[in-house]
């Protein structure tokens, strides 16, 4: 089983945490609630210091601290469903604030979401305020819904990888001089700018307001780039990917960073940066992107490890 660093890295790759609501995931949560006859059902993702809900029914809050999450216990056994018939009779949870206060949890059942690499990144779970158990049909249903959720996440990850290839590969392969050989490919770098807490900001300010802000940002960001450089927003997200040519992309990076500083002030949240240069003419844009993404992950680790102000 992957260690915590690897587990977190695999979760980050899917770009699900802090994403906007999606009908397919909402449907899965509703099905879990109906099939298991439970008032609360969640698609829960275990992030660095929190559990964040991609979909939820019967619960208003978008996340809770990781330290009180039942799902954090569930992912420790990736191959099996964790069922807690009565939390008041379980020493792990008897003093848990989710049990002693709202939503007054007594029953919990969660099936881990396991990546192809074996990392448990969250659960599909159901919760009740009365002691009970699931029957075999309900357990099988929860296991199936967890597999379906993971398949959706995998499909989205592959779609985004293909989208990157279509956008970055041709642009990165522009030669320094028309007609030059492949060995004369221009050096390039990739920068990833990611708005943090994107879903929560959109919920507070309104999805339409955020969309207008980002559409205007997209226009302004393009205006500071040199010919041949590009920046594109990842569909339906708060992430922008820039491709910058030349031996010294620092000027373009500084200009972009200045624009994102303004976005931070307007939205009241951080924008984190991951950056990497191509190390050779034959390094693929996808490989450079993944190295930039690793830098972005380290930035997230640093931000989340800081104590609250």
């Amino acid at each position: 089983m992957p260690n915590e660093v690897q587990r977190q890295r695999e979760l980050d790759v899917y770009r699900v945490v802090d994403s906007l609501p999606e009908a397919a995931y909402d449907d899965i949560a509703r099905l879990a609630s109906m099939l298991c006859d439970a008032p609360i059902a969640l698609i829960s993702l275990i992030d660095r210091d929190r559990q964040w809900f991609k979909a939820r029914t019967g619960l208003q809050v978008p996340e809770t601290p990781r330290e009180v999450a039942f799902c954090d216990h569930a992912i420790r056994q990736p191959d099996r469903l964790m069922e807690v018939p009565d939390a008041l009779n379980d020493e792990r949870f008897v003093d848990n604030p989710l049990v002693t206060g709202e939503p007054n949890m007594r029953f919990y059942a969660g099936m881990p979401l396991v990546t192809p690499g074996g990392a448990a990144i969250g659960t599909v779970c159901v919760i009740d305020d009365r002691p009970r158990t699931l029957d075999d049909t309900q357990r099988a249903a929860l296991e199936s819904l967890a597999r379906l959720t993971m398949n959706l996440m995998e499909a989205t990850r592959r779609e985004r990888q293909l989208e990157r290839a279509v956008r970055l590969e041709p642009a990165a392969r522009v030669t320094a001089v028309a007609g030059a050989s492949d060995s004369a490919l221009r050096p390039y770098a990739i920068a990833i700018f990611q708005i943090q807490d994107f879903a929560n900001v959109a919920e507070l300010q309104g999805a339409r307001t955020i969309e207008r802000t980002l559409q205007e940002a997209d226009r302004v960001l393009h205006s500071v780039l040199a010919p041949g450089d590009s920046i594109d927003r990842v569909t339906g997200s708060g992430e922008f990917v820039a491709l910058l040519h030349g031996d010294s992309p620092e000027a373009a990076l500084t200009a972009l960073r200045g624009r994102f500083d303004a976005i931070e002030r307007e939205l009241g949240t951080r924008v984190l940066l991951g950056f990497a240069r191509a190390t050779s003419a034959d390094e693929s844009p996808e490989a450079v992107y993944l190295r930039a993404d690793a830098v972005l992950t380290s930035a997230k680790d640093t931000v989340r490890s800081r104590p609250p102000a």
Side-chain angles (χ1 to χ4, degrees), residues 26 92 123 233 253:
D26 293 339
R92 295 173 296 176
T123 73
R233 180 183 167 202
L253 200 61

Side-chain angles (χ1 to χ4, degrees), residues 132-301:
R132 51 172 292 201
T133 59
L134 298 180
D135 60 33
D136 289 343
T137 299
Q138 291 170 324
R139 293 186 185 103
L142 210 55
E143 291 169 3
S144 295
L145 291 174
R147 287 193 296 272
L148 176 59
T149 301
M150 200 65 244
N151 287 340
L152 275 173
M153 291 172 60
E154 268 292 299
T156 300
R157 182 191 64 79
R158 289 193 295 269
E159 286 175 4
R160 288 186 172 177
Q161 185 174 354
L162 288 172
E163 182 181 338
R164 285 197 303 272
V166 169
R167 288 181 174 179
L168 296 180
E169 192 76 35
R173 297 309 179 194
V174 174
T175 54
V177 179
S181 66
D182 286 348
S183 61
L185 293 172
R186 295 171 63 192
Y188 68 92
I190 290 176
I192 308 169
F193 295 89
Q194 190 179 87
I195 298 171
Q196 300 303 285
D197 299 318
F198 183 64
N200 292 344
V201 172
E203 187 170 349
L204 288 171
Q205 299 193 19
R208 290 184 179 179
T209 299
I210 296 299
E211 189 62 29
R212 285 195 297 270
T213 298
L214 296 185
Q215 286 176 356
E216 175 61 17
D218 193 42
R219 185 190 65 78
V220 174
L221 291 167
H222 278 90
S223 71
V224 304
L225 294 179
D229 290 350
S230 65
I231 185 165
D232 293 290
R233 180 183 167 202
V234 178
T235 305
S237 77
E239 182 173 306
F240 293 78
V241 180
L243 189 144
L244 310 172
H245 289 95
D247 293 312
S248 302
E250 287 78 12
L253 200 61
T254 298
L256 290 172
R257 182 69 259 186
R259 301 304 181 187
F260 279 108
D261 287 346
I263 292 173
E264 284 185 332
R265 292 190 295 272
E266 184 168 353
L267 298 183
T269 189
R270 291 185 177 94
V271 178
L272 299 184
L273 167 65
F275 176 78
R277 301 171 188 264
T279 57
S280 65
D282 60 356
E283 185 177 19
S284 72
E286 180 65 14
V288 181
Y289 173 89
L290 292 175
R291 288 196 291 106
D293 193 36
V295 175
L296 180 63
T297 288
S298 296
K300 293 178 186 177
D301 291 339

